[in-house]
Amino acid sequence: MRQHKRLAGFGVASLSLALALTACGEAGGGDDDDNEGGGGDGGGTIGLLLPEDRTTRYESFDRPFIEGKIGELCPDCTVQYNNASEDANLQKQQFDAMLTDGVDVIILDAVDASTTSTWVEEADAEGVPVVAYDRLAEGPIDAYVSYDNERVGELQGQALLDALGDEAEGSRVVMINGSPTDPNAAQFKSGAESVLEGTAEIVFSQDIDGWDAALANEEMNAAIDSLGADGFDAVYVANDGMGAGVINALEAAGISDVPVGGQDAELAGLQRIVTGAQTFSIYKALQPEAEITAEVAVRLLRGEDFAELTPDSADSATDEGIPSTLLEPVPVTLDTIEDTVIADEFYAPADICTAEFADACQEVGLG
């Protein structure tokens, strides 16, 4: 089935239509009439390459959501899966193996997006479409599904200023940024800086290789050593995973009165919000992101148009006008946790309010 080349460009319909189509499975779920060109074509193989297993996110959410939607839309399809464990060289080997094995489409969440151009070019030459998932890989990508990452950073920056309140003007901010190999991290950073600029002063800023919480801890300690315990007023952390390392450093130094924010709405981050150790996170609902990606991949497999699923456009370092879906993130604070992650059933109160956090949950009225 490896006859596919790039289809039409970015779409004309609204994202709400794309989500509606995804929800109802128009491209392949339901009765036999909905399966035009699908299961009756004998299916095919979709490769799924995810970047890391350090956090629970990819194995607990992204993978099952993607595999589940592919199974719903294309019961005869096979998913060939690998996780790179944050190793770009290993992911290259996995990508090459998928081409050798004859997969029909590849969903790629790149460990290091700057290294993927030649991989994707090779896939394109062999007629294998590549869908960039969550991170915009370089090379002739056929489609890209993620969140508006500049917007994520803007929300992080604004949430930090909101938490500072009347003390925001002239405040001093430490920035613990994401991995320099992840293009999302640069967009988070840029978005946050655009909001902080003119109101707050960035007094320390450091990128963290591999989003490593231990390295984030080291850099926060370096910031404390350099600035002093009273030399900053807030800490921007690019994600919740690194937030653990940052907050450990603050607590070890006896610092407990500065706002700290992350993103990803990880369970541990939400629990820190309940206890007051972390001020906010940013929620990017994984199910619509994963399911739109799955549907785009199935349509590419079948040689069908997917334009209404990708109403946006994105540019990478190598390509412009990539058909894209850029979803809207939302901030999560103690005041909004029930209206966001809990309302979406991303986590239940029981998941957050385990025995260790039961008292804190009761105190804030959660559970």
Side-chain angles (χ1 to χ4, degrees):
M1 297 183 68
R2 295 170 66 163
Q3 75 277 19
H4 320 292
K5 298 299 281 187
R6 189 171 300 198
L7 291 177
F10 48 91
V12 296
S14 68
L15 178 57
S16 60
L17 175 59
L19 290 171
L21 289 172
T22 302
C24 69
E26 181 172 312
D31 57 34
D32 292 340
D33 291 338
D34 289 331
N35 282 326
E36 292 182 15
D41 289 344
T45 301
I46 296 174
L48 174 60
L49 293 172
L50 296 180
E52 56 97 347
D53 51 10
R54 188 198 312 271
T55 63
T56 60
R57 169 189 166 173
Y58 289 101
E59 298 298 328
S60 297
F61 295 101
D62 300 77
R63 178 186 179 184
F65 285 148
I66 290 172
E67 290 182 339
K69 192 64 177 180
I70 290 172
E72 175 189 332
L73 297 173
C74 186
D76 294 328
C77 283
T78 299
V79 177
Q80 184 171 324
Y81 173 70
N82 286 115
N83 190 303
S85 300
E86 205 65 43
D87 185 332
N89 291 327
L90 175 60
Q91 190 170 65
K92 173 64 163 67
Q93 295 170 17
Q94 294 168 344
F95 191 98
D96 289 345
M98 286 186 175
L99 291 181
T100 299
D101 292 344
V103 302
D104 299 291
V105 180
I106 294 175
I107 298 170
L108 172 63
D109 192 342
V111 173
D112 183 349
S114 68
T115 67
T116 64
S117 182
T118 57
W119 318 359
V120 180
E121 288 171 359
E122 182 180 352
D124 187 60
E126 295 190 23
V128 179
V130 177
V131 181
Y133 177 65
D134 200 60
R135 302 173 182 177
L136 182 52
E138 294 183 10
I141 295 295
D142 290 80
Y144 168 52
V145 182
S146 186
Y147 274 77
D148 184 335
N149 295 309
E150 287 276 349
R151 182 62 178 152
V152 170
E154 291 170 1
L155 291 174
Q156 289 176 299
Q158 189 58 55
L160 212 58
L161 295 180
D162 291 345
L164 288 165
D166 294 339
E167 299 178 354
E169 190 70 37
S171 59
R172 301 155 301 173
V173 175
V174 169
M175 294 190 70
I176 303 297
N177 307 301
S179 176
T181 64
D182 183 344
N184 291 2
Q187 292 178 311
F188 300 153
K189 180 181 178 181
S190 174
E193 288 176 340
S194 72
V195 172
L196 295 172
E197 184 178 357
T199 301
E201 178 188 2
I202 298 169
V203 293
F204 183 97
S205 182
Q206 181 63 51
D207 297 348
I208 304 298
D209 289 336
W211 299 89
D212 191 308
L215 290 178
N217 176 270
E218 291 178 12
E219 291 300 335
M220 191 65 235
N221 281 320
I224 295 168
D225 290 341
S226 173
L227 301 169
D230 59 353
F232 56 95
D233 304 297
V235 183
Y236 163 93
V237 190
N239 76 351
D240 291 342
M242 295 193 303
V246 166
I247 289 169
N248 285 343
L250 292 170
E251 290 177 346
I255 302 170
S256 60
D257 57 349
V258 299
V260 179
Q263 63 97 17
D264 274 342
E266 287 191 1
L267 180 58
L270 298 174
Q271 290 168 331
R272 290 193 296 270
I273 289 174
V274 168
T275 65
Q278 183 169 323
T279 311
F280 66 87
S281 186
I282 304 296
Y283 175 44
K284 301 176 297 183
L286 298 178
Q287 188 163 359
E289 182 184 13
E291 292 189 346
I292 291 171
T293 301
E295 186 161 0
V296 169
V298 169
R299 292 199 189 188
L300 281 164
L301 177 71
R302 294 171 172 164
E304 298 174 353
D305 185 82
F306 58 87
E308 79 271 16
L309 296 176
T310 51
D312 304 309
S313 179
D315 299 335
S316 72
T318 59
D319 286 65
E320 296 181 352
I322 299 166
S324 303
T325 297
L326 301 177
L327 299 167
E328 178 70 16
V330 295
V332 180
T333 65
L334 191 58
D335 291 334
T336 64
I337 193 169
E338 289 189 279
D339 298 328
T340 53
V341 293
I342 291 175
D344 271 8
E345 299 182 349
F346 187 65
Y347 285 113
D351 297 323
I352 300 170
C353 300
T354 58
E356 182 180 354
F357 300 97
D359 290 344
C361 284
Q362 184 174 9
E363 185 175 336
V364 300
L366 184 64

